[in-house]
Amino acid sequence: MTTMTQTPPQAARRRGLLVYLVLAYAGMWAAMAPLLADGYRRADAREEVGTLEQVCIGAAMLTPALAALFVVRFVERGDGVREALALRWPRPWGRALWDCLLPLGVLAGLTAALLALGALAGSYPFAGFGALDAGSVGSWAVQGVIGMAVSLPLFFGEELGWQGFLLPRLVRLENGETGTATPVRAYLLTGTAFALWHLPPLLMGGQYPGRPWYVAVPAFVVSCALVLPVFTWLRLRSGSVVPAVLAHTFASSMSVSMVREFADPDAELDPLTMGLGGWPGWIVLGAFVTFLARTGRLRPSRYGRG
């Protein structure tokens, strides 16, 4: 099974990495410029974003894919954009459905575990099982699935850049053509680059409303460094970027929505103490990533490479 795509000579790879990062970061700042100029700040985790915010966020999410496409076509000058970015259906075909359902189950399980941990520790204001209504929960789930389907193209915009382009090339630079070790530095560099790409929304309280930037930025770097190997594992085992896209979509939509849905409706929500971006999420993600690493599931050589 091909999991890490063929890449051009090392000089072109390094040049391509630099061009990709410049374009992706410039695109994010350009997309967020109207909100930054307007002085927008998100102060509450329950606050819904307006139309302008949604347009700016959507435009920003497309920039990693556009940057990756530009580099593949005009810097690396390789053939086959889809193959270069792993934009293909999961392989083998007989397991494609399972490979697409697994990300949803894994992220749902991780979210449930961190909510349980937070509730036991007293940091998550769980409403209690008595407050749950089957009808309302079912309605929430249906709306969440529809929302995921609508936003899926935007998450392709992100993961074609991070999982499709950046990580595989950093792995090749770190491990050469053998890929026999877990590429820890490639994971950390990609996670950090992915986190810092979010700097404009972080400065506006996007991920951590009410928190100063010097708290929000390090917290998000930790979160991205821990969740990225989960996305990568799903991408490696399937040979496709699609499961990573599905996992990212769930993490940024349904997982966040789960925090609100099962919390006391009158309680204040602090993403730093609940959800994948808070300390309960770090513990749960850290344990799962440790399992993946100890069992060799984060090594590209386990799945074969082209």
Side-chain angles (χ1 to χ4, degrees):
M1 181 189 305
T2 301
T3 56
M4 289 293 179
T5 55
Q6 295 288 343
T7 52
Q10 191 175 66
R13 295 183 214 166
R14 293 184 182 277
R15 184 168 62 252
L17 288 172
L18 178 60
V19 173
Y20 167 78
L21 290 173
V22 169
L23 291 177
Y25 275 65
M28 165 60 88
W29 281 92
M32 292 290 110
L35 300 182
L36 290 167
D38 194 45
Y40 171 78
R41 284 200 62 84
R42 186 166 179 247
D44 191 324
R46 296 185 186 273
E47 177 184 337
E48 298 292 339
V49 297
T51 301
L52 177 61
E53 289 79 13
Q54 292 179 17
V55 171
C56 291
I57 292 169
M61 292 173 70
L62 295 175
T63 57
L66 294 175
L69 289 169
F70 178 87
V71 172
V72 169
R73 293 294 295 170
F74 300 108
V75 179
E76 296 179 348
R77 297 184 182 277
D79 295 326
V81 170
R82 293 180 62 185
E83 195 68 17
L85 300 179
L87 182 58
R88 51 178 175 257
W89 198 245
R91 301 175 182 174
W93 286 91
R95 291 178 49 190
L97 179 60
W98 167 247
D99 284 334
C100 290
L101 291 176
L102 182 62
L104 311 182
V106 167
L107 269 297
L110 292 173
T111 303
L114 69 88
L115 292 182
L117 175 61
L120 290 172
S123 67
Y124 177 63
F126 179 51
F129 293 104
L132 299 180
D133 175 76
S136 63
V137 172
S139 176
W140 160 79
V142 170
Q143 292 177 21
V145 171
I146 294 173
M148 282 185 59
V150 171
S151 62
L152 199 60
L154 298 178
F155 288 97
F156 269 100
E158 290 199 39
E159 290 306 326
L160 283 178
W162 308 113
Q163 291 290 339
F165 179 86
L166 182 62
L167 180 66
R169 285 151 180 80
L170 287 177
V171 168
R172 285 291 180 92
L173 287 176
E174 180 175 344
N175 280 352
E177 299 300 319
T178 61
T180 55
T182 301
V184 176
R185 186 167 61 176
Y187 286 127
L188 293 176
L189 287 174
T190 304
T192 301
F194 174 54
L196 295 181
W197 176 75
H198 288 82
L199 185 58
L202 284 168
L203 294 176
M204 294 182 285
Q207 287 79 6
Y208 299 94
R211 296 285 185 173
W213 68 267
Y214 51 82
V215 173
V217 173
F220 199 64
V221 169
V222 172
S223 300
C224 291
L226 288 172
V227 79
L228 179 119
V230 180
F231 297 168
T232 302
W233 163 61
L234 294 164
R235 181 241 195 274
L236 287 173
R237 68 183 302 281
S238 65
S240 166
V241 76
V242 174
V245 173
L246 291 169
H248 192 170
T249 306
F250 191 101
S252 295
S253 57
M254 288 294 284
S255 181
V256 175
S257 182
M258 285 174 69
V259 175
R260 295 196 299 262
E261 178 67 17
F262 301 116
D264 183 332
D266 298 322
E268 181 179 352
L269 301 182
D270 183 1
L272 200 59
T273 61
M274 58 192 74
L276 289 171
W279 67 261
W282 301 343
I283 293 175
V284 171
L285 286 170
F288 188 64
V289 170
T290 299
F291 162 75
L292 294 176
R294 292 291 298 272
T295 56
R297 286 173 168 82
L298 295 180
R299 296 177 182 174
S301 58
R302 177 187 177 99
Y303 307 95
R305 289 169 44 141

